[in-house]
Amino acid sequence: MPTMDASLTISAALLAFQFFFNLILALGIWILARGYNPTHGIRIQRALNPASFFFLFLVIFFVTMGPILMTRSFASMWLPTYGANIHSGLSTDGVKAWVFIVDILIVSTIILKTGGWKVSPFPPLNFSVPAIAILLGDSGGMVAVYTCLLAVIYGGSLASSRRFGGSGIAGRVEDDVALWIVTTAALALTTTIGVFTRHAR
């Protein structure tokens, strides 16, 4: 189990990651909102509806940043002010899992609302999650969960966009299958090497 100093470092790094993750997300949406891309059609119009996007952004901000500030390492700094037990707070590992899964699910929703995985600028945010999880010391099992979740969502989105014509980009089925296999295999290779070599000297 990591020491308090190590836990605080991890929690602080997670907080910094999530802050900049949200900032990049907001910046991307702001740039998209500067004009209308006919390739996206009505999907991007709905995504850029201020109320719709503001709600999604508030969800990802509060349901991720809040729990991070409630981790034991952070809580031990401010809970005593309110007379609470210094050992109270959420598990850092549990919060990391919650934050990364919420990130993947909500950003995947935003990707679908901004043209799909082939058009939207946001897939790199999702694909960065397993690497960040490795850097923040997540277990190999949890990294595998994030990677598999991304692979399933990505594959399902490609299949549904072809079936329902979501992204407006047609092509052979083989093109989508090859894209999915190469992308997920590269992600799996990267995360596997990262997990097995992160403690190497």
Side-chain angles (χ1 to χ4, degrees):
M1 178 175 293
T3 64
M4 178 57 72
D5 286 344
S7 295
L8 182 58
T9 299
I10 291 172
S11 294
L14 181 61
L15 183 67
F17 161 75
Q18 195 58 35
F19 174 80
F20 286 106
F21 187 93
N22 291 333
L23 184 63
I24 293 169
L25 184 62
L27 179 62
I29 287 289
W30 179 78
I31 293 172
L32 285 179
R34 303 292 292 176
Y36 171 69
N37 186 339
T39 302
H40 297 175
I42 191 66
R43 296 168 66 81
I44 197 168
Q45 292 297 295
R46 289 176 180 168
L48 299 180
N49 177 286
S52 172
F53 176 71
F54 188 60
F55 174 75
L56 284 174
F57 186 79
L58 285 180
V59 168
I60 196 171
F61 186 85
F62 285 109
V63 303
T64 57
M65 299 292 275
I68 294 173
L69 294 174
M70 290 296 295
T71 55
R72 291 191 187 102
S73 48
F74 276 136
S76 64
M77 300 169 62
W78 59 267
L79 279 179
T81 305
Y82 300 94
N85 189 334
I86 192 173
H87 298 295
S88 300
L90 302 175
S91 162
T92 302
D93 288 339
V95 169
K96 280 191 293 184
W98 167 258
V99 166
F100 292 143
I101 290 174
V102 168
D103 281 344
I104 290 172
L105 294 178
I106 294 185
V107 172
S108 294
T109 301
I110 293 174
I111 288 171
L112 292 178
K113 288 178 173 290
T114 52
W117 290 76
K118 291 183 179 180
V119 176
S120 174
F122 300 111
L125 278 177
N126 261 357
F127 288 128
S128 73
V129 168
I132 295 297
I134 293 171
L135 293 174
L136 293 183
D138 243 341
S139 67
M142 288 310 302
V143 173
V145 168
Y146 309 141
T147 303
C148 291
L149 180 60
L150 279 169
V152 170
I153 293 174
Y154 182 39
S157 297
L158 288 177
S160 65
S161 66
R162 169 171 292 281
R163 182 176 180 182
F164 299 108
S167 67
I169 297 180
R172 301 183 308 157
V173 173
E174 292 82 358
D175 295 337
D176 285 347
V177 172
L179 177 62
W180 180 79
I181 289 177
V182 171
T183 303
T184 55
L187 180 64
L189 176 63
T190 302
T191 54
T192 300
I193 291 176
V195 167
F196 283 103
T197 62
R198 59 182 163 184
H199 298 304
R201 292 291 185 267

